[in-house]
Structures are given as C-alpha cells and as structure tokens.
C-alpha cells in the first residue's frame, strides 16, 4: 500500500508540473445560510498562462489517466507482494530444522470393568511376617469377612499387645535382627554372612515343602515391603504396600539400586500389587524407581471399634510420641494468654496406656506430627475425632528449625544431616526437588503437601498458635465429626471394591491351594525367580543381580 501511495503522488506531481494551477482568487465568503461546501467557480482553474483557462475536458482526461495508472500500479504491487510471500515461505522451509510429525492421538484407556461383573474370590490364604502389627490387623478386618485367612507370624516388638498375640514362635531363617534387610547390615545370627540372596535361598529351602507354606496363595509385605524379595522365588502373588520410606533396610546406594530393580521386577508381574498406604510414599517410590503407577491403598483401621463421643474438656495433643517439647510449650503459652478457656494436654500425659474409647471422649486432637503418615492418625480419623494440623508452610518452617518430623527420612532417623538422597532420581523424572533434602524449606514444603493430614478432607490447618486457638474455639466440632463419619463410610466401600479388584488381578483362573491339598514350588529359589520374573539371580544381590529385563510396560 505504501508503494501505491507513492506512485500516485508521483503521477500527481508530474501532472501538476505540466499544468500548474495559477494562484486562486480568494473564494467569496460563505453565506451563513449555506448548509454545505460550495466549490470555487470554474474561472479559478488556471493553466500556465494566467490569461488563458484550462478546458474542463482536459482536466477530466488527466484525472482518468491518473486513475488508470493507479489501478495498474496497484495490480502490479499485489503480484509483487504475492511473489515475495511465496519466496519467503520457500526459504523458511528450506532452512528450517526438520520437525517431528505430530504425535498420534492416544489410544483411549480400557474402560474399567463394573465391579458388579467381577467374580467374588474367597478362601485364599495369605502369609505375613511384618514388623508392624497395625497394617496386618487392619487387613484382617477387611480380608476375613471376605472369607480369606492370614497366617500372621509377626516380627513386631508390639505383637504381644494383640489379642491373641501374633508373635512368631516357629519362624525359620527370618528374624528380628535381619528380617528387614536380609542380612545386609551384617549382624545378629547372620553376622559374617552379609549376602541377601543366600538368606533368600535358605528361607526357600526351609519352606518349599512346609505343610503350612504349600497352602499359601499370596504374601503380604507392608512394613517393610522389602521383605517381598525373600518371597519372589515362591511364585505366588506379592502384595507390597509401603507404609514408610520403601528403602527401609537398604539405605546405601548399591543395595538401594538393587532393591529398585527387584521392585520394578515385582511390579512388572501382572499378578502382583505394588502400592503405598499414603500419597507421600507413592510419589516417593515413583521418584526413585520410575514406576508409572503406584496406587494409594490406605489402611482403614476400623478395629478401633469406637466413635466420637466427647465428654471430657481437654483438647489432646498427638500423636502419642515424638511431640516437640518446644512447640508444646509455645502452644501452652498461647492458650494461657487467650480468653478461650481451652485446655491442651499431650496424649501420653493423660494416658500412659490408653483405650481408644478414651481418645474418642475428647473434643479434638491437635497434631504435631513426627511423620507424614502414621497409623495413629488413621485411627483418629476412623474414630471421627476432629483434627487440626499445621499448614504445609508452618510445618516446613518447623522442620527447618526443630526437625519436628524426625522420622521423615532415614538420615534423620540415624541423626545424619544430609541435603540429598544416597541415589539419584530415576532417569527422566520430573520432580523438582529431592525428597530427602531437609535443608531447603521449598523442597520440604513441596513434598510434605502429600502428607495424609493434607490429603484427607475435613482436617483443619493452622498457620500459627493464635490461629489454632481461635479455630478450635469457634469450630463446629460435631459437624466436622459427622462429615468425617460420612467420609469413613465412603472410604470403606471404596476399599472393599479396591481389594475385590486386586483379588481378581491376583487369583483369576487360580483356585485356592488349601482345599486341593496345597501347591508345590520349584526346586530352588533361583529356578523360581527365573521362571516367574525372568531373572538370573546374582550371588548376593547387592548390585550383581541387576539385569536387562524389559520393564518398559511399567516404567516412565
């Protein structure tokens, strides 16, 4: 357009050079009544000689020539612009880097089979040798009404608290000294034999013909899930559900990396279940292993058997242990200055040994957590007791100042102050922070947002002690408890469906072993892991049995 305007101006200059107008006489004044512009008289159009006038026909011809030339130049400009655009586009295509083809549309996910169409599975036997009594007690409450049984040979120091006691009395090879790490720490009965695969072989050889073991249909590993390594050679479904950081017993880089590979192998077997009972540990496992899908299967803890019935005035401070003395003093000082009349008491100060009904008799529990997931908090929630937790920002600040969550990482458990994990994030991972960096408030806040008390509904959070006192004083605790009760009812339905689907995954086409007199195993542990996991086991398992198995189906 600019070129066209310039061309028109050139033509006008040329025309006026040939026939310049004479100085125009002043136009007569416009009458006040004249509504519009009146052109000057024809005599005002003068040629080169002011004594001669230019005919109107010559002026009209000049205007026509200008219009024709303008139209021609406009068409020429349009053709030129089109040619320039085509050449520019061709040059860009010739010099640009080759681009990848557009991604193919993702195939739609297979629709979830309606739960009503999944067969009912009953009569299966599970084996457990856990180091924590609560996760297995919880599963018993769910599994037993479904017609299943659990052989519970507990290695927990609290096994005597169950009624009846669940302590192992005849367990061979596995023991409290080396059951967590398969002898890696090189002490106890296996001192001098720090070779996990040797221990796995010994356990297999001891139980492959055991009359109780041949009736086992699956193995449960909660605390700790690393115990499932010892059961891999039996070829039965494994249920590995992390209840804390999954590298428990495998803290150093070589055995941790070997455990990662074994866990990926376990996850690759479609009959196995690899999960966590909380969101934090599910994301933590993904960070280090690259597993795509680590579902959260929470514990229910309905075994408490009681519901919220507040009759006592004290607000409890929980959980039962690990409470920071400094933070408790700050809370008490704030409560003392307020006019709320609220009284706060630590659980253990009131109840050195409590009954669940005693906890449920208090209006609420204020959390000062030493972990992101605790069985005691599951229990509080199932009793419908209203809870108040520090906000992620406040808790991250406490962690930096006081290490209030002193069991959040294994380095903290062992009183080590490190800012990174012993191994790296899985290749291709996209998490921005190392979960074991406890020296960075941003990293701490990023990870602790997946704590149970932030994931579950109806738990109030506070940013200061003053805000906490105000929240508790003005809360409708009865309403909160009622909402928690509704959530518990919904969760129980979901859990039963989840386990029903898991049983279908584990046992489809497989009858329970016990009615048929049991099922045998391979002759050796090595044959078992080769057959069921396509693994040629190493001598000791501390890095020498990491293999080239294709597990792309379950990896990022």
């Amino acid at each position: 357009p600019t070129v066209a305007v310039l061309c028109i101006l050139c033509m006008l200059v040329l025309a006026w050079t040939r026939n310049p107008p004479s100085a125009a006489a002043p136009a007569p004044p416009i009458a006040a009544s004249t509504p519009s512009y009146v052109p000057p008289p024809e005599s005002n159009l003068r040629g080169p000689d002011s004594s001669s006038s230019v005919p109107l026909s010559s002026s009209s011809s000049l205007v026509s020539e200008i219009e024709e030339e303008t139209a021609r130049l406009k068409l020429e400009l349009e053709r030129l612009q089109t040619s320039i655009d085509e050449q520019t586009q061709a040059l860009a295509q010739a010099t640009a880097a080759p681009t990848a083809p557009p991604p193919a549309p993702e195939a739609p996910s297979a629709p979830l089979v309606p739960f009503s169409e999944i067969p009912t599975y009953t009569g299966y036997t599970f084996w457990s040798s856990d180091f924590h009594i609560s996760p297995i007690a919880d599963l018993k409450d769910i599994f037993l009404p479904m017609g299943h049984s659990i052989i519970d040979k507990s290695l927990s120091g609290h096994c005597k608290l169950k009624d009846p006691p669940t302590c192992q009395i005849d367990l061979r090879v596995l023991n409290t000294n080396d059951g967590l790490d398969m002898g890696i720490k090189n002490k106890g009965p296996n001192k001098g034999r720090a070779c996990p695969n040797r221990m796995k072989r010994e356990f297999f050889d001891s139980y492959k013909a055991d009359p109780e073991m041949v009736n086992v249909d699956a193995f449960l590993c909660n605390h700790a899930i690393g115990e499932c390594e010892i059961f891999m050679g039996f070829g039965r479904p494994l249920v590995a559900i992390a209840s804390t950081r999954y590298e428990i017993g495998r803290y150093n880089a070589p055995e941790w990396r070997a455990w990662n590979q074994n866990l990926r192998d376990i996850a690759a077997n479609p009959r196995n279940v690899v999960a966590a009972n909380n969101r934090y540990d599910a994301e933590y496992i993904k960070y280090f292993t690259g597993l795509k899908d680590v579902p959260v299967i929470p514990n229910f803890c309905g075994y408490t058997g009681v519901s919220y019935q507040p009759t006592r005035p004290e607000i409890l401070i929980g959980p039962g242990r690990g409470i920071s003395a400094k933070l408790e003093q700050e809370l008490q000082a704030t409560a003392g200055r307020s006019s709320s009349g609220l009284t706060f008491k630590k659980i253990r100060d009131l109840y050195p040994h409590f009954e669940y009904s005693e906890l449920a008799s208090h209006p609420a529990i204020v959390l000062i957590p030493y972990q992101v997931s605790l069985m005691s908090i599951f229990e509080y929630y199932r009793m419908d007791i209203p809870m108040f937790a520090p906000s992620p920002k406040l808790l991250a600040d406490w962690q930096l100042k006081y290490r209030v969550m002193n069991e959040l990482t294994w380095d903290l458990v062992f009183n080590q102050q490190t800012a990174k994990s012993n191994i790296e994030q899985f290749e291709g991972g996209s998490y921005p922070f190392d979960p074991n960096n406890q020296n960075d408030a941003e990293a701490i806040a990023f990870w602790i947002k997946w704590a149970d008390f932030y994931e579950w509904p109806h738990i109030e959070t506070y940013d200061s002690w003053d805000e906490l006192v105000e929240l508790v004083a003005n809360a409708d605790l009865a309403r909160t408890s009622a909402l928690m009760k509704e959530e518990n009812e919904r969760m129980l339905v979901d859990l039963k469906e989840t386990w029903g689907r898991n049983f279908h995954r584990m046992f489809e086409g497989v009858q329970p072993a016990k009615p048929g007199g049991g099922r045998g195993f391979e002759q050796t542990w090595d044959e078992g892991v080769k057959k069921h996991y396509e693994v040629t086991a190493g001598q000791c398992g501390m890095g020498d049995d990491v293999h080239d198995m294709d597990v792309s189906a379950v990896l990022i």
Side-chain angles (χ1 to χ4, degrees):
T2 303
V3 176
V5 172
L6 290 174
C7 291
I8 292 171
L9 291 174
C10 290
M11 293 295 294
L12 290 172
V13 170
L14 178 62
W16 282 61
T17 303
R18 292 174 179 172
N19 300 286
S22 60
I30 300 174
S33 62
T34 305
S36 59
Y37 172 71
V38 178
E42 292 180 7
S43 60
N44 289 339
L45 297 176
R46 303 290 182 180
D49 186 351
S50 61
S51 61
S52 63
S53 61
V54 179
L56 287 175
S57 60
S58 299
S59 177
S60 299
S61 175
L62 177 60
V63 170
S64 297
E65 290 178 8
I66 292 174
E67 291 176 345
E68 290 175 2
E69 185 64 17
T70 300
R72 185 188 68 79
L73 290 171
K74 184 177 181 181
L75 290 174
E76 184 65 26
L77 180 64
E78 290 175 353
R79 285 194 294 270
L80 179 62
Q81 186 64 50
T82 300
S83 176
I84 291 173
D85 290 344
E86 291 174 350
Q87 294 181 39
T88 301
Q89 184 176 2
L91 180 63
Q93 293 175 347
T95 58
T99 57
E106 292 185 6
S109 302
L112 194 65
V113 177
F115 185 58
S116 59
E117 297 180 13
I118 292 179
T120 299
Y121 293 85
T122 187
Y124 292 85
T125 301
F126 296 79
W127 175 291
S128 169
S129 296
D130 248 28
F131 281 78
H132 200 305
I133 57 175
S134 295
I136 298 305
D138 181 54
L139 290 181
K140 287 179 182 178
D141 284 347
I142 296 176
F143 285 19
L144 270 58
M146 293 180 169
H148 305 299
S149 61
I150 297 178
I151 298 171
D152 187 359
K153 297 181 181 291
S154 179
L155 292 167
S156 168
H158 294 99
C159 56
K160 294 180 180 179
L161 298 179
K162 303 305 292 184
D163 185 18
T166 58
C167 309
Q168 67 82 21
I169 56 175
D170 57 357
L171 187 63
R172 302 186 293 274
V173 184
L174 271 178
N175 56 71
T176 56
N177 287 306
D178 50 25
L180 282 177
D181 61 7
M182 307 296 144
I184 290 174
K185 63 178 176 288
N186 194 28
K187 71 177 185 179
N190 280 334
K191 183 173 178 59
R193 302 187 303 157
C195 184
N197 281 1
R198 180 184 301 160
M199 187 173 178
K200 298 168 192 175
R201 293 180 179 105
E202 290 177 0
F203 184 86
F204 183 88
D205 291 341
S206 179
Y207 278 97
K208 65 183 179 182
D210 183 86
E212 194 172 37
M213 182 64 79
V214 297
N215 290 320
V216 169
D217 297 293
F219 295 92
L220 301 173
C221 310
N222 288 73
H223 192 93
I225 69 169
E227 271 195 305
C228 269
E229 286 186 305
I230 207 167
F231 304 129
M232 292 173 71
F234 291 91
R236 303 289 190 262
L238 305 178
V239 179
I241 304 179
S243 60
T244 189
R245 310 307 87 78
Y246 78 107
E247 77 273 21
I248 179 173
R250 293 144 182 82
Y251 312 110
N252 296 325
E255 58 258 27
W256 190 349
R257 291 195 178 99
W259 166 221
N260 278 351
Q261 186 60 59
N262 286 339
L263 186 58
R264 287 192 286 265
D265 295 342
I266 291 170
N269 187 317
R271 290 195 183 271
N272 295 337
V273 176
V274 173
N277 74 348
N278 66 90
R279 177 77 182 277
Y280 184 101
D281 281 307
E283 300 296 334
Y284 189 89
I285 291 172
K286 293 177 187 178
Y287 179 94
F288 290 108
T289 66
L291 291 172
K292 287 179 180 177
D293 184 28
V294 183
V296 175
I297 306 178
N299 290 104
F300 189 71
C301 300
Y303 52 75
T304 61
V306 298
S307 295
Y308 184 62
Q309 292 289 337
T311 58
R312 297 195 55 167
E314 302 94 344
I315 308 298
L316 296 178
I317 304 172
R321 67 180 179 88
I323 302 296
S324 165
K326 181 172 180 56
L327 292 176
E328 195 239 338
Q329 290 169 5
E330 291 179 1
L331 170 56
Q332 298 293 5
T334 303
R337 292 192 303 268
S338 77
S339 59
S340 65
L342 296 174
T343 301
F344 296 85
K345 292 288 186 180
K346 290 194 298 182
I347 289 176
R348 292 300 181 187
D349 286 348
L350 285 177
Y351 307 110
H353 302 284
F354 61 78
E355 299 291 336
Y356 291 121
S357 59
E358 292 174 322
L359 300 184
S361 70
H362 291 267
I365 297 178
V366 173
L367 299 178
I368 304 180
Y370 63 86
Q371 257 278 27
V372 289
S373 182
L374 295 163
M375 293 302 294
S376 56
I377 297 179
F378 281 97
E379 293 168 351
Y380 304 158
Y381 203 102
R382 299 306 169 249
M383 291 186 282
D384 317 320
I385 304 174
M387 285 182 278
F388 296 82
S391 67
K393 182 179 182 301
L394 180 60
L395 187 54
D397 183 57
W398 285 353
Q399 185 69 355
L400 274 179
K401 290 180 180 178
Y402 311 123
R403 298 302 191 206
V404 59
M405 292 183 289
N406 56 11
E407 295 185 19
L408 181 61
T409 74
W410 293 115
D411 282 343
L412 290 174
V413 171
F414 301 138
N415 294 314
Q416 298 174 359
Q417 302 296 322
T418 58
K420 65 177 183 178
S421 301
N422 290 335
I423 66 171
E424 60 288 332
Q425 181 174 189
F426 186 80
E427 183 179 357
S430 58
Y431 292 85
F433 299 104
D434 185 327
N436 290 310
N437 181 358
Q438 296 298 295
N439 295 335
D440 185 305
E442 194 174 5
I444 296 170
F446 175 85
W447 278 94
I448 64 172
K449 70 176 182 285
W450 288 314
D452 286 337
F453 33 87
Y454 302 135
E455 287 282 303
W456 300 344
H458 315 307
I459 296 179
E460 294 277 355
T461 60
Y462 55 90
D463 284 312
S464 68
W465 293 127
D466 287 319
E467 183 182 18
L468 168 68
V469 172
E470 183 178 357
L471 283 172
V472 176
N474 296 305
D476 185 345
L477 298 176
R479 173 60 177 162
T480 299
S481 178
L483 292 172
M484 295 171 75
K485 183 179 181 65
E486 292 177 4
E487 175 64 15
N488 285 332
E489 292 170 352
R490 183 202 64 78
M491 181 178 288
L492 183 58
V493 172
D494 284 354
L495 269 177
K496 289 180 178 179
E497 179 174 329
T498 295
W499 280 112
R501 292 183 182 278
N502 283 337
F503 296 151
H504 181 58
R505 172 180 180 171
M506 296 159 64
F507 302 129
E508 183 181 14
V510 179
Q511 294 299 313
K514 192 171 185 178
R519 286 196 302 272
F521 307 103
E522 276 64 50
Q523 288 300 308
T524 68
W525 180 80
D526 293 74
E527 290 176 7
V529 294
K530 180 67 174 178
K531 176 180 179 180
H532 300 288
Y533 294 95
E534 302 177 26
V535 172
T536 300
Q539 182 63 31
C540 282
M542 294 180 65
D544 60 344
D545 59 351
V546 177
H547 52 84
D548 298 323
M549 177 182 176
D550 180 11
V551 288
S552 59
V554 294
L555 296 183
I556 293 173

